[in-house]
Structures are given as structure tokens and as C-alpha cells.
């Protein structure tokens, strides 16, 4: 079967019978299940190995083809062989069969292979529960609103499959089964909301994942030349900030991340230096601000320089000896905090100390030409101090033919002496090239220096008072120690590309065609959409992802409970569940009293309509018997009513494809129109009661006719 024909049949399955084409019930349900599985697996495509995605797609298409052709399922040995290959491929791709990524890969393969033995309701239930578990695994990679919406649709589809599995008879429409699920979800929404609000916020049952990709934040714990430029087009949000006071200019917004002091000739790494926070001199009043930090792969807080105080308690946060806030583990959920920064500060000792000698070390045998260039500079300026040397090197960067580019040459192409190749030959690079080369030159001049990475700037316009810092704002700069002043920030990038620092502008290179078209078509509309989406994301994070135990207790205090604790939550939750159970029992009792058979629900309305025509309607009468009675009583004038009754017989006993509650409602409206259009009903009062008719008593007109 060609793929276009397969997809056409899939559309037929999703929309029921169309243009006289009706798929068998089992085929239609199976194609719908395969479509739901494909939709559920689609967001995992970036996380799965290429072979896994190809195997899953081929398996689902193969199973759909077998269903359409009504061919037998593959033998067991073939299924087991595919499973063995999948296990080997997982071990080869991930190096293990354990862990998050390996587990998701195996789960995706098992879900696809399970469809190859899907032939009974029990198998459908296994696939249903596997699908729900697969839905949950998506939230190990992200908790964005768009992902939540996609997984809500997946859960809706899986629940529809479950409803169909429990309705083995007839041909219920997919729309009807989906409506049952939607109704149940709406009825259960209040209980779900109460559970979300009042269920105790306990610690995670499992430890946080340690294999989060570093692209979640745009920062890495180390720095190599050419390692940061790929983030320049990454528009994902790293964090949002709101200032409770005057907003600093964009060129003053340096968000301190990893401090890198060790250099092996190619890579800068942090130095493990335990100890108390360094000495600080703070100038002026502190600037309070709030931060909403997105999940990160690094156990640190990229706070504004310099933020020695946290106004919100974070027990795991610690200010280390490099002036950087660290955590015990990476934040795997959005984190809200309040801090206070001092833009005017002095960090570290102001007098020379033996520990500073470690920050002048350079690996032997690397970048000899740059070291020679620094030695020549020292001979020209033998008495110059640190400020004069820094000014001279920055002037060289500004006037020496250097350029700022987002497409620097690959580090491997620069060879072992990458700083030599950048500083003396190519003279073009990204921020890490300028920062790393500047620190090498400073150390070659016997000045303590180190590299600092983090973020610089923010989006040029705030959204509802919140400034957005994205991965593309990732930046690298230098710190040089100066006598009497401590560690001083020096940003060599500002010497060659001041617009990058002053206005937070990045080069436009790399924009996609779609982004360029939208920007050209309506920049204002695009900006408004971004602002609206950013506001929605902030609301999502604050209302859902950041709803913690502290906020739970604040809610209880607002409800009038004094000194609430976990016991208060449990008692309140127990009372809510008890009331919900009583309400459910009351609703179930009421539903048992009402007739559940649609035919029994329809009989009173049918008796009233026929009573207006003078036709008797007993509880045991079938639609065909009533149609015969209408023909005998009204003749040709009752033909529309007779046709409606025969159509009711087809609906009740034939149960053709798509027959359901909606068709019965449509039939009822048609029947009422047919009765209203019959001459015998036009002179009948609507207040006539069919009580005697339902009991089988003939109408007065029939008795008079028989007497005549």
C-alpha cells in the first residue's frame, strides 16, 4: 500500500464514514491508536537516537499497513529479534540501559513493538498504560506550557482509546468517545484543582536528573575557544528579572556565572578553592531585584554583580571564595528568588597575597608567540602598573584590526596554540576569544587574571516590568587583580564591539528566513506577540511550576487558618475528599433512579407526540408497530410520522456507523416537526395528556368510529 493511500485511510478512520467508505471497527480503532502513539512520541524525537526514531516510525507504519491489508501479525521470533536489536542499539548509543535517556529510548521502542502483537483488549490496555507513562517522561526534559498542551491532547487520545476498548459492540464514533472523556475531565477538574492546591508538597521521590543538557541555560562549567558562539542564536529564556528600584543601564548588567582560573592551553576550568567568601567593599545602597530562574545544568545562581545578599532564604545556596553563588545540585525546576546587588564594589584582597600567584600561571609550551608579544610590551613599558597595561592592551584590541564575529574558526582548526592563531593571525572571534586571549596576555605580563562567564545585558524592552535574559546573552569577560582595588572587571569585547555591551545588540547573522519575513512584515506585531507569550510564560511558571510548600501555607493563612502545617493540609485534604465522595455517591444514586436506556428516555416524548395525533402508545410497542398504527389511523396524512418511526427502528436496532446520542437528538427534532406538520395535530391542544393513551385506552375518536 502506498503511503498516500494509507494516510487517506487514516483520515477516514479519524472522521468516521465519509463518502460511503467505512473502515471495520477494529481497523479504525487501531489506526486511531497508532496516530495517538505517533503524536505522543513526536516531542521525544530530538532526544532519541536516529536509529530509534527510524525504527519507531517504520514499525508504526508497518502495523498500519498490516491492519489496512488485514494481514497476519509478524511471528514472535521476529518481534524478539527486533527487541534484541533495540537493546543492543540502546547500549551502543547511551553506553548503558539505565538512566533517563536510555530508559526513554527503550520505552519508545517497546511502545512501537507492542503494537505488532496488538490483537486483544488486554494488549490495548497494556499500550494504554505504556502511553500514559510515556506522557510523563516528557516532563523530565521540560515543563513548558506548549509541552503540557501537547501531552494533554495525548492523554485525551489515550483515554478515548480506553473508552472504545470498553465499548466492544456496535460502531461508536470517535467523536462520541472523545466527548465522554472530555465530560469526565470537566467533572473531575474541580477535584484535580483542589488536589493541586492542598496536596502536601513533599520532596521528590527520586533525585533530580544529573544528565540535563547544558543547553538549558546556555552556560557550561568550562570554556574553550569557539564554545560559546553557538549560543548567540539561542533565544530560549535563561531567567527573568524585575528591579524594585531604578533599572541599571544595559551595559551595567553583568550576571556572574562560573569563574575560570585554571588553563591547560585549550580549556579554562574553575579552581576548586573552598573557603569563606572573599572580602568585599560595597559602595552605595543596595539594589533589590527579583529573579525567575529557569532549569539549569549548572549548580549555580547567575546573580547580578555583585549580589552578596539573598533576601529570600535558599538553604542550599552558598557564596564561594570567587564571589559566585553555588547550589548543592542544579535547579531542575524554575526557581524564584529575591536578592540585593551593589553595582559599585571591590572584590577580593587589596594587598598582594601568595594565593594570587596561582592566577598568573600559564601552561608551558603553549602560545609562545603571544608570550613573546607580552614580553615585548613589558620591555617597552617597564614601569607601567596594572591599570596602564590594561589600558594599553585594550587600545591594541580597539585599533589593531580585530573584529567581532559570530562565526569564528573552529578551535581544532586553530591548532594547539589557539590563542596565538587568534591574537596574532586571524584577529576575529567571539567574546570568549577576546576574554581568553586577554587573560593570557595579562598573565604573561605577570598580572593575576581570570576568565568569568555568565550573561551580559537583557532584552531591550521589559515585559510587564520583567527584563528577559536569554541564552543568546551568554558572555565571557575578564577580571584583573589591581593593588588597592582588588579584582576589577575588564570586558575586552567592549573595546572591539561596544554595541554588544552598551545596547545588548547581537549580530543578525544566522536569522532564519521565517524570522526575517516576520520581522519585515510587522515588527510591532512580532514584538507584541513575544511580549504576550513572555507574560504567559511568567504566569505559568509562577502559578504552576513555582507553587511550593511555602506558597501553600500562605494560601492557608489567607483562608483564615492560623499557624498551618502539614497536618493541617492533610486534614483539609481528607475533608475535601470526603465531601467529594459524598457528592459522587449522591450523583450516582440519582443516576440510578433515571432510566439509562435511551429508548426508555425517549418513550414519554414519543407518547406525547403520538397522543396529539390520537394514536395509542403502550410501553411495549415497537417503532414499527407504532408506524403501522399511524398508517391505519391517519392514512397518507401520517406518512412523515410513519417514516420517522421507521427511521427510529433503524437507529435502535440497526445501529449503523455513527449512531449515537447526537443522532437520536436529531431524530427527535425531525419527529416533532413531522408531528407538528400533520393535519390531525394542528387542531389538538398541547395541553392534552397522553396518560390514558399510554395505558392502552383507545381515543374517543376511535371508539366513535367503531360504534358507527
Amino acid at each position: 500500500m502506498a503511503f498516500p493511500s494509507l494516510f487517506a485511510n487514516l483520515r477516514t478512520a479519524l472522521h468516521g464514514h465519509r463518502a460511503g467508505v467505512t473502515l471495520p471497527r477494529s481497523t479504525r480503532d487501531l489506526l486511531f491508536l497508532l496516530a495517538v502513539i505517533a503524536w505522543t512520541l513526536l516531542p521525544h524525537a530530538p532526544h532519541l537516537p536516529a536509529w530509534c526514531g527510524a525504527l519507531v516510525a517504520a514499525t508504526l507504519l508497518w502495523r498500519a499497513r498490516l491492519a489496512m491489508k488485514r494481514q497476519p501479525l509478524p511471528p514472535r521470533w521476529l518481534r524478539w529479534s527486533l527487541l534484541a536489536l533495540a537493546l543492543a542499539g540502546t547500549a551502543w548509543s547511551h553506553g548503558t540501559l539505565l538512566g533517563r535517556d536510555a530508559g526513554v529510548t527503550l520505552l519508545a521502542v517497546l511502545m512501537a513493538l507492542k503494537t505488532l502483537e496488538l490483537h486483544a483488549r488486554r494488549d490495548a490496555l497494556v499500550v494504554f498504560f505504556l502511553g500514559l507513562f510515556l506522557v510523563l517522561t516528557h516532563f523530565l526534559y521540560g515543563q513548558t506550557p506548549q509541552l503540557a498542551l501537547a501531552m494533554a491532547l495525548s492523554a485525551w487520545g489515550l483515554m478515548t482509546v480506553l473508552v472504545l476498548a470498553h465499548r466492544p459492540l456496535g460502531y461508536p464514533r470517535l467523536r462520541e468517545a472523545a466527548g465522554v472523556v472530555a465530560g469526565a475531565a470537566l467533572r473531575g477538574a474541580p477535584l484535580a484543582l483542589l488536589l493541586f492546591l492542598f496536596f502536601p508538597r513533599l520532596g521528590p521521590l527520586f533525585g533530580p536528573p544529573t544528565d540535563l543538557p547544558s543547553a538549558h541555560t546556555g552556560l557550561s562549567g568550562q570554556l574553550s575557544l569557539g564554545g560559546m558562539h553557538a549560543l548567540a542564536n539561542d533565544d530560549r529564556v535563561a531567567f527573568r528579572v524585575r528591579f524594585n528600584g531604578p533599572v541599571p543601564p544595559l551595559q551595567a548588567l553583568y550576571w556572574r556565572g562560573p569563574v575560570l582560573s585554571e588553563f591547560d592551553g585549550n580549556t579554562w576550568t574553575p579552581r576548586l578553592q573552598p573557603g569563606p567568601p572573599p572580602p568585599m567593599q560595597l559602595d552605595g545602597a543596595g539594589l533589590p531585584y527579583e529573579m525567575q530562574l529557569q532549569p539549569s545544568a549548572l549548580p549555580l545562581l547567575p546573580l547580578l554583580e555583585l549580589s552578596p545578599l539573598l533576601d529570600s532564604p535558599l538553604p542550599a545556596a552558598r557564596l564561594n571564595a570567587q564571589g559566585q553563588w553555588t547550589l548543592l545540585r542544579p535547579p531542575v525546576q524554575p526557581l524564584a528568588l529575591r536578592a540585593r546587588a551593589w553595582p559599585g564594589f571591590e572584590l577580593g584582597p587589596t594587598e598582594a597575597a601568595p594565593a594570587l600567584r596561582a592566577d598568573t600561571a600559564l601552561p608551558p609550551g603553549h602560545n609562545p608567540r603571544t608570550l613573546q608579544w607580552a614580553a615585548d610590551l613589558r620591555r617597552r613599558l617597564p614601569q607601567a602598573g596594572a591599570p596602564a597595561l590594561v589600558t594599553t592592551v585594550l587600545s591594541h584590541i580597539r585599533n589593531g584590526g580585530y573584529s567581532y564575529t559570530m562565526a569564528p574558526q573552529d578551535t581544532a582548526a586553530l591548532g594547539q596554540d589557539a590563542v596565538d592563531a587568534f591574537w596574532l593571525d586571524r584577529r576575529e572571534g567571539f567574546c570568549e576569544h577576546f576574554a581568553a586571549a586577554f587573560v593570557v596576555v595579562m598573565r604573561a605580563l605577570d598580572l593575576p587574571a581570570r576568565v568569568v562567564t555568565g550573561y551580559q545585558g537583557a532584552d531591550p524592552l521589559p515585559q510587564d516590568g520583567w527584563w528577559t535574559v536569554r541564552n543568546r546573552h551568554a558572555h565571557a569577560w575578564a577580571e584583573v587583580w589591581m593593588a588597592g582595588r582588588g579584582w576589577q572587571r575588564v570586558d575586552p569585547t567592549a573595546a572591539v564591539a561596544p554595541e554588544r555591551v552598551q545596547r545588548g545588540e547581537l549580530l543578525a547573522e544566522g536569522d532564519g528566513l521565517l524570522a526575517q519575513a516576520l520581522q519585515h512584515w510587522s515588527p510591532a506585531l512580532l514584538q507584541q506577540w513575544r511580549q504576550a507569550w513572555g507574560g504567559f510564560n511568567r504566569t505559568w511558571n509562577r502559578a504552576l511550576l513555582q507553587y511550593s510548600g511555602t506558597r501553600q501555607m500562605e494560601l492557608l493563612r489567607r483562608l483564615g487558618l492560623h499557624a498551618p502545617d502539614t497536618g493541617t493540609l492533610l486534614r483539609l485534604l481528607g475533608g475535601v475528599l470526603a465531601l467529594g465522595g459524598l457528592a459522587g455517591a449522591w450523583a450516582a444514586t440519582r443516576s440510578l433512579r433515571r432510566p439509562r436506556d435511551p429508548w426508555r428516555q425517549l418513550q414519554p416524548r414519543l407518547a406525547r407526540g403520538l397522543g396529539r395525533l390520537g394514536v395509542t402508545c403502550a410501553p411495549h410497542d415497537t417503532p414499527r408497530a407504532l408506524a403501522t398504527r399511524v398508517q391505519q389511523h391517519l392514512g397518507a396524512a401520517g406518512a412523515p410520522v410513519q417514516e420517522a418511526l421507521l427511521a427510529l427502528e433503524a437507529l435502535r436496532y440497526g445501529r449503523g456507523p455513527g449512531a449515537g446520542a447526537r443522532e437520536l437528538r436529531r431524530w427527535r427534532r425531525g419527529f416533532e416537526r413531522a408531528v407538528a406538520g400533520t393535519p390531525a395535530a394542528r387542531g389538538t391542544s398541547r395541553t392534552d395528556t397522553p396518560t390514558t393513551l399510554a395505558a392502552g385506552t383507545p381515543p374517543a375518536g376511535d371508539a366513535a368510529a367503531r360504534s358507527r
Side-chain angles (χ1 to χ4, degrees):
M1 176 186 296
F3 286 158
S5 175
L6 175 61
F7 293 141
N9 288 324
L10 180 58
R11 288 195 299 270
T12 301
L14 295 178
H15 295 284
H17 62 291
R18 177 176 293 180
V21 178
T22 301
L23 293 174
R25 165 72 187 279
S26 59
T27 303
R28 185 207 65 175
D29 292 356
L30 179 59
L31 291 180
F32 177 73
L33 175 59
L34 295 177
V36 173
I37 293 174
W39 172 263
T40 305
L41 287 170
L42 185 61
H44 268 318
H47 314 135
L48 298 176
W51 65 264
C52 180
L55 176 60
V56 168
T59 303
L60 296 180
L61 290 174
W62 182 23
R63 184 63 181 92
R65 185 179 185 277
L66 293 179
M68 297 303 303
K69 291 289 188 178
R70 301 186 182 181
Q71 295 177 348
L73 297 178
R76 179 175 298 181
W77 67 267
L78 180 57
R79 299 196 299 267
W80 281 99
S81 300
L82 292 175
L83 178 60
L85 290 176
L87 291 172
T90 302
W92 174 71
S93 299
H94 302 289
T96 180
L97 296 180
L98 304 177
R100 182 194 61 175
D101 293 337
V104 170
T105 299
L106 282 177
L107 185 61
V109 172
L110 289 175
M111 170 69 82
L113 294 181
K114 183 61 182 178
T115 62
L116 295 178
E117 59 179 12
L118 188 63
H119 53 75
R121 187 192 301 183
R122 183 185 65 83
D123 299 319
L125 295 179
V126 172
V127 172
F128 165 75
F129 288 111
L130 277 177
L132 287 183
F133 191 79
L134 189 64
V135 166
L136 295 178
T137 61
H138 286 280
F139 298 105
L140 297 175
Y141 294 91
Q143 298 177 8
T144 61
Q146 54 267 38
L147 179 62
L149 177 60
M151 292 304 100
L153 293 176
S154 295
W156 191 4
L158 291 170
M159 294 296 294
T160 301
V161 171
L162 185 64
V163 170
L164 293 173
H166 286 83
R167 292 187 176 182
L169 302 179
Y171 202 105
R173 298 188 65 177
L174 295 178
R175 188 180 302 173
E176 182 182 354
V180 172
V181 176
L186 290 177
R187 290 191 294 271
L191 180 60
L193 178 61
L194 291 173
L195 289 175
F196 174 79
L197 292 176
F198 300 118
F199 195 86
R201 257 40 182 185
L202 305 176
L205 298 178
F206 305 98
T210 59
D211 49 357
L212 281 172
S214 61
H216 276 287
T217 59
L219 289 181
S220 174
Q222 59 185 18
L223 177 68
S224 300
L225 295 190
M228 291 186 68
H229 75 276
L231 301 170
N233 290 321
D234 189 348
D235 207 43
R236 287 176 292 181
V237 175
F239 53 89
R240 294 182 174 90
V241 177
R242 181 171 62 186
F243 295 97
N244 300 324
V247 179
L250 289 180
Q251 62 265 29
L253 298 181
Y254 281 82
W255 312 93
R256 191 179 187 87
V259 179
L260 311 176
S261 302
E262 298 291 335
F263 184 51
D264 63 2
N266 295 307
T267 304
W268 292 86
T269 56
R271 178 184 301 139
L272 298 179
Q273 184 178 349
M280 305 176 193
Q281 295 292 330
L282 306 177
D283 184 17
L287 174 63
Y289 62 94
E290 301 176 56
M291 174 181 285
Q292 291 183 354
L293 181 66
Q294 296 300 306
S296 167
L298 295 179
L300 58 84
L301 300 174
L303 300 186
L304 184 63
E305 288 191 329
L306 185 68
S307 300
L309 295 179
L310 291 181
D311 293 338
S312 56
L314 288 177
R318 186 179 65 87
L319 186 63
N320 65 12
Q322 289 80 33
Q324 170 192 346
W325 283 95
T326 61
L327 301 171
L328 293 179
R329 58 178 61 91
V332 296
Q333 293 182 351
L335 183 64
L337 59 94
R338 294 187 299 273
R340 192 178 300 267
W342 274 264
F345 66 92
E346 292 182 359
L347 179 66
T350 57
E351 301 294 334
L356 293 173
R357 298 302 304 171
D359 292 309
T360 63
L362 288 171
H366 288 272
N367 306 301
R369 292 191 294 150
T370 301
L371 301 185
Q372 184 60 44
W373 185 93
D376 295 340
L377 177 61
R378 172 59 77 179
R379 280 194 296 269
R380 292 198 307 270
L381 302 173
Q383 303 300 324
L389 291 174
V390 168
T391 301
T392 302
V393 176
L394 290 179
S395 178
H396 172 76
I397 294 175
R398 187 179 300 109
N399 304 314
Y402 291 90
S403 61
Y404 181 76
T405 177
M406 291 175 59
Q409 189 170 359
D410 183 66
T411 305
L414 297 178
Q416 179 181 2
D417 301 323
V419 173
D420 278 355
F422 163 73
W423 189 251
L424 299 172
D425 299 331
R426 294 187 56 84
R427 302 195 179 210
E428 62 176 15
F430 200 55
C431 60
E432 74 266 25
H433 294 80
F434 291 96
F438 181 85
V439 171
V440 169
V441 170
M442 290 294 105
R443 290 190 174 191
L445 293 170
D446 203 32
L447 296 178
R450 59 194 184 188
V451 176
V452 182
T453 60
Y455 300 91
Q456 196 282 319
D459 281 357
L461 295 176
Q463 302 172 5
D464 299 330
W466 289 85
W467 297 81
T468 302
V469 179
R470 304 180 184 275
N471 287 342
R472 58 184 172 86
H473 292 106
H475 193 54
W477 60 93
E479 282 187 343
V480 179
W481 185 85
M482 300 182 184
R485 300 170 60 183
W487 289 102
Q488 296 295 305
R489 181 202 310 137
V490 181
D491 193 348
T493 305
V496 67
E499 67 279 359
R500 165 65 182 90
V501 176
Q502 292 175 3
R503 296 188 296 272
E505 293 180 356
L506 298 177
L507 301 182
E509 182 179 334
D511 286 345
L513 294 177
L514 180 59
Q516 294 177 3
L518 289 175
Q519 183 70 20
H520 178 74
W521 175 56
S522 179
L525 180 61
L526 183 61
Q527 183 65 22
Q528 291 175 2
W529 167 254
R530 286 179 174 176
Q531 290 182 357
W533 181 250
F536 177 74
N537 270 287
R538 287 193 302 275
T539 303
W540 171 270
N541 290 336
R542 182 169 180 80
L544 296 178
L545 303 185
Q546 297 173 4
Y547 185 73
S548 60
T550 303
R551 294 183 59 190
Q552 238 179 5
M553 298 304 168
E554 292 178 357
L555 176 61
L556 293 181
R557 282 190 288 268
R558 291 177 184 176
L559 295 177
L561 299 176
H562 299 287
D565 54 11
T566 304
T568 306
L569 274 176
L570 293 175
R571 289 190 294 272
L572 181 60
L573 183 62
V576 168
L577 293 179
L579 291 176
L582 292 175
W586 176 77
T589 303
R590 285 181 56 86
S591 65
L592 290 176
R593 295 175 181 174
R594 294 194 302 266
R596 308 188 70 173
D597 186 359
W599 170 248
R600 291 183 58 192
Q601 296 178 3
L602 191 63
Q603 274 187 324
R605 189 181 297 270
L606 189 63
R608 285 194 297 270
L610 293 178
R612 294 173 56 192
L613 302 178
V615 178
T616 60
C617 180
H620 60 270
D621 286 334
T622 64
R624 180 169 292 274
L626 294 175
T628 302
R629 194 170 300 160
V630 168
Q631 195 275 335
Q632 293 175 351
H633 185 66
L634 300 177
V641 179
Q642 183 181 4
E643 293 176 0
L645 290 171
L646 294 178
L648 176 62
E649 181 186 55
L651 283 176
R652 186 185 181 193
Y653 298 109
R655 296 294 295 175
R662 178 172 298 183
E663 283 68 24
L664 288 177
R665 288 194 297 270
R666 187 181 301 117
W667 176 89
R668 188 171 63 244
R669 291 192 295 267
F671 172 74
E672 291 173 351
R673 287 195 299 269
V675 170
T678 302
R682 294 173 184 171
T684 304
S685 172
R686 289 187 178 270
T687 60
D688 292 344
T689 175
T691 305
T692 57
L693 301 179
T697 305
D702 288 352
R706 282 194 294 272
S707 65
R708 286 195 297 268

